[in-house]
Amino acid sequence: MKTLRTRLLLAFSFLYSMILAGLGFILGQLFPVYLENTIDENLMKTEKDIVAVMKDNNIVLTAQQIQELEKVMPKSFLLEEIATAKLQFWLILIVALVFAFLLLLFITDRLLKNLTKSVEHVTHTALELAKGNYRARAYEMGEVATSQLSKSINSLARNLQDMMLVREMEQERLKTLIENMGSALIMIGREGDISVVNRFFLKLFNKSNQDVKKHVFRDLGVDENLEEFVDYVFMTEQPYRKQIEISIEGRKRHMEVYGAPVIGEHGHWLGVVIVMHDITELKQLEQVRKDFVANVSHELRTPITSIKGFSETLIDGAYKDEDTLLSFLDIMYKESNRLQMLVQDLLELSKIEREGFKIDIIPTSLNAIVRSSIEMAKMPIEQKHMTLKVTDDEEVIVLGDANRLIQVAVNLIVNAVTYSLDYKTVHINVTKHNDYGVMEVIDEGIGIQKAEIPRVFERFYRVDRARSRNSGGTGLGLAIVKHLVEAHHGKIIVKSQEGEGTTIRILIPLAKEQ
């Protein structure tokens, strides 16, 4: 594609050639006539001068002499000189015209170079701006006629660049907001195609960008409850909020879903946006709260009902029988002790779970903790005629609160005794494992079903409710143990085989050697 400068130069060349050709043609036609007229005038003047001289000298020529004179001086003696002059004229004219043409082309080219260079660069800059390159700039030369155009183009480019930067910044902010909003988001076009999704949506439904990009929403295979919600928003074109339950890879999740239509300029309907907030944990916590209230009510009702019943019986006259009175008072005493233990455990658990709960962590001998715990749990062990075997071949020093660790160990030992038959053996091992001190309590009791192992640390959960209640347990012991171990930055691991026994492993960080 020829440049503007070349096109203009060709146009001016054609114009100059026409003008110079016409000028040459005119000069070529006029010069011979002028030359002949000049020669004729000179000849006539010469003849007149000769005649005048002859008259002045009284010289009279006869007709024959005049003819002889004309033969001596013919008019045609200048024809060759005239032809030569014409040829020289044409050569000079052609050379002059060519030189003038070249000179005009040179001057025009210099003028066009300054003019078209800025125009071409402005054109190139405009094309770059049209392609989206807002960093392009045109030359601004003050002496050029197009300098104002260059300044205008540059001002436009700067404005477009500023607008593009603002737009990119806004898009980046919007993308960051969408990607980190903490809820799953999907935008569906008016034809059902997916236009925007965030990483929480992809993570929730275990999808990749390739799985959803340029696909129709119904092809994703999401839960039908979510599809019905989206269909409702599409049909009503109104904001809608609802709590739904969806199944993802066999797992039930509770979602609070909000849908709204996306309206563009001039009321143009673009699609819908769906935001999903996972409230599964909130639902679980709500259920735990309900279960806790129900369990507390149940656990409190049993001893209170027992105490109330026996006291009413005594009031009705049973106190007159001494044996009955003592029996009832003994039962009421045990139930009141059980009620007191339940309240104490609830207060203890509440204290441990409270934010800001602290323990005094100092280097503590895990071996001494086990020995102290065995002494405190000696009575239930002796009552069931059980054997306790301790293996602590090496001294294990951990970072912990001695009183709280004794509380943990006593709970585990009492649990092992409670859920074992008489004359069984409980093994306690104290060892080191990597950066942890380890205490294992192994019993030969009834064991725990595999599906129930994750629930043993729940409040009021009992593997065998009758056995635990008869032993005086509250169902809060392992919940307290779990929170105390976590307060020590430790771990608790449960392994069990139903009918064979249970192993509970406590890992507490070791103290650094001095």
Side-chain angles (χ1 to χ4, degrees):
M1 182 177 179
K2 294 181 180 179
T3 62
L4 176 63
R5 176 185 172 188
T6 304
R7 293 197 299 270
L8 288 175
L9 191 61
L10 289 175
F12 277 106
S13 300
F14 179 75
L15 179 63
Y16 291 154
S17 62
M18 291 298 100
I19 293 173
L20 292 176
L23 180 62
F25 177 77
I26 293 172
L27 291 176
Q29 294 298 321
L30 294 177
F31 180 74
V33 174
Y34 171 77
L35 184 62
E36 290 179 359
N37 290 335
T38 301
I39 291 173
D40 289 342
E41 290 176 357
N42 289 335
L43 287 174
M44 290 176 64
K45 183 179 180 181
T46 302
E47 288 179 359
K48 289 179 180 180
D49 291 340
I50 292 174
V51 171
V53 170
M54 291 177 65
K55 285 181 178 181
D56 293 337
N57 294 308
N58 297 320
I59 299 174
V60 179
L61 296 176
T62 63
Q64 186 178 0
Q65 289 175 334
I66 293 172
Q67 290 178 354
E68 291 295 331
L69 183 62
E70 289 179 350
K71 289 179 181 179
V72 176
M73 297 181 61
K75 183 180 178 180
S76 61
F77 80 99
L78 294 175
L79 292 178
E80 293 182 359
E81 285 76 0
I82 292 173
T84 302
K86 287 182 178 181
L87 179 61
Q88 292 176 348
F89 171 77
W90 278 109
L91 289 176
I92 293 171
L93 180 62
I94 290 172
V95 171
L97 291 176
V98 170
F99 177 77
F101 178 75
L102 294 176
L103 181 62
L104 288 172
L105 282 185
F106 176 76
I107 295 172
T108 303
D109 181 63
R110 299 303 298 177
L111 293 175
L112 290 177
K113 181 179 180 181
N114 293 332
L115 178 64
T116 60
K117 182 178 180 180
S118 59
V119 173
E120 288 178 353
H121 198 271
V122 168
T123 304
H124 177 73
T125 304
L127 292 175
E128 288 295 317
L129 293 177
K131 293 177 182 178
N133 179 17
Y134 301 125
R135 298 180 181 275
R137 295 291 185 274
Y139 293 133
E140 295 183 8
M141 293 177 286
E143 68 277 3
V144 180
T146 59
S147 62
Q148 188 61 40
L149 177 61
S150 299
K151 292 178 180 179
S152 300
I153 287 290
N154 288 340
S155 178
L156 175 63
R158 282 189 291 269
N159 292 336
L160 289 174
Q161 185 177 12
D162 293 340
M163 292 171 60
M164 190 64 184
L165 289 175
V166 171
R167 182 182 177 186
E168 288 178 353
M169 187 179 298
E170 290 177 350
Q171 287 181 338
E172 191 64 29
R173 288 175 180 173
L174 180 61
K175 181 180 178 181
T176 303
L177 175 63
I178 291 175
E179 289 295 328
N180 298 280
M181 63 187 299
S183 300
L185 180 142
I186 180 171
M187 183 175 175
I188 307 170
R190 58 188 303 171
E191 302 298 330
D193 55 300
I194 299 171
S195 55
V196 177
V197 292
N198 66 353
R199 59 188 179 93
F200 285 96
F201 181 90
L202 300 176
K203 183 179 179 181
L204 179 64
F205 292 95
N206 195 22
K207 302 286 184 182
S208 63
N209 279 318
Q210 289 72 21
D211 295 332
V212 300
K213 194 174 183 181
K214 297 182 180 179
H215 281 71
V216 179
F217 175 73
R218 285 196 172 275
D219 294 340
L220 288 183
V222 298
D223 190 271
E224 61 180 8
N225 289 333
L226 182 58
E227 289 186 353
E228 291 176 0
F229 179 89
V230 174
D231 290 340
Y232 181 86
V233 178
F234 263 101
M235 288 188 295
T236 61
E237 298 184 10
Q238 295 293 328
Y240 184 51
R241 185 189 301 272
K242 185 181 180 182
Q243 289 186 4
I244 62 174
E245 184 179 293
I246 62 176
S247 178
I248 303 175
E249 297 180 350
R251 295 178 300 165
K252 295 290 184 181
R253 303 194 73 86
H254 297 272
M255 310 295 295
E256 184 174 10
V257 189
Y258 176 78
V262 180
I263 308 298
E265 294 182 359
H266 309 296
H268 185 60
W269 194 70
L270 303 177
V272 298
V273 60
I274 306 295
V275 180
M276 293 174 286
H277 184 59
D278 192 348
I279 58 172
T280 304
E281 291 186 3
L282 293 177
K283 286 287 186 180
Q284 290 175 347
L285 289 173
E286 183 179 356
Q287 188 61 42
V288 168
R289 181 186 62 81
K290 291 179 180 179
D291 292 344
F292 177 73
V293 172
N295 287 327
V296 168
S297 301
H298 176 74
E299 294 294 334
L300 290 174
R301 183 179 59 201
T302 301
I304 291 175
T305 302
S306 178
I307 293 172
K308 182 180 180 182
F310 284 112
S311 62
E312 288 177 350
T313 304
L314 290 175
I315 292 172
D316 289 340
Y319 68 89
K320 295 178 181 179
D321 186 347
E322 186 176 351
D323 293 335
T324 302
L325 175 61
L326 292 175
S327 175
F328 281 13
L329 288 176
D330 183 58
I331 294 172
M332 292 170 66
Y333 176 74
K334 290 179 179 178
E335 291 297 337
S336 63
N337 283 339
R338 181 182 165 196
L339 186 61
Q340 182 184 17
M341 289 174 58
L342 177 61
V343 173
Q344 286 178 344
D345 283 351
L346 284 172
L347 292 174
E348 182 70 14
L349 185 60
S350 175
K351 178 181 177 182
I352 294 172
E353 289 182 338
R354 189 180 302 130
E355 187 176 355
F357 172 73
K358 294 181 180 179
I359 55 177
D360 297 326
I361 295 180
I362 59 173
T364 304
S365 171
L366 195 56
N367 309 70
I369 296 294
V370 170
R371 288 192 293 269
S372 299
S373 302
I374 292 172
E375 287 297 324
M376 296 177 68
K378 192 172 184 180
M379 184 180 295
I381 295 172
E382 291 178 348
Q383 287 175 351
K384 300 189 71 171
H385 308 286
M386 297 180 66
T387 305
L388 199 62
K389 292 186 177 180
V390 180
T391 303
D392 56 347
D393 298 332
E394 57 180 334
E395 186 72 16
V396 179
I397 306 298
V398 297
L399 289 173
D401 186 324
N403 293 327
R404 294 298 183 178
L405 290 178
I406 289 174
Q407 188 178 356
V408 169
V410 169
N411 265 300
L412 295 180
I413 295 172
V414 171
N415 264 10
V417 173
T418 301
Y419 291 98
S420 298
L421 298 175
D422 295 353
Y423 302 100
K424 293 291 185 178
T425 303
V426 175
H427 299 270
I428 301 177
N429 301 326
V430 179
T431 58
K432 291 181 181 179
H433 179 72
N434 296 334
D435 296 330
Y436 291 93
V438 180
M439 179 181 66
E440 284 183 329
V441 179
I442 307 170
D443 63 49
E444 298 173 355
I446 61 175
I448 308 171
Q449 293 181 4
K450 188 175 181 180
E452 293 184 336
I453 290 177
R455 300 190 60 194
V456 296
F457 298 107
E458 293 180 8
R459 303 178 184 91
F460 300 110
Y461 181 78
R462 296 182 177 92
V463 176
D464 186 339
R465 290 187 175 272
R467 182 189 298 267
S468 179
R469 187 173 285 112
N470 291 335
S471 67
T474 63
L476 298 173
L478 287 181
I480 294 174
V481 167
K482 176 177 177 291
H483 284 87
L484 288 177
V485 171
E486 290 177 349
H488 283 81
H489 307 291
K491 303 176 184 178
I492 183 166
I493 302 170
V494 179
K495 294 181 181 179
S496 184
Q497 187 70 33
E498 190 175 9
E500 295 184 6
T502 302
T503 299
I504 297 183
R505 199 177 192 206
I506 303 296
L507 291 83
I508 305 297
L510 289 170
K512 294 182 180 180
E513 296 181 1
Q514 299 296 331

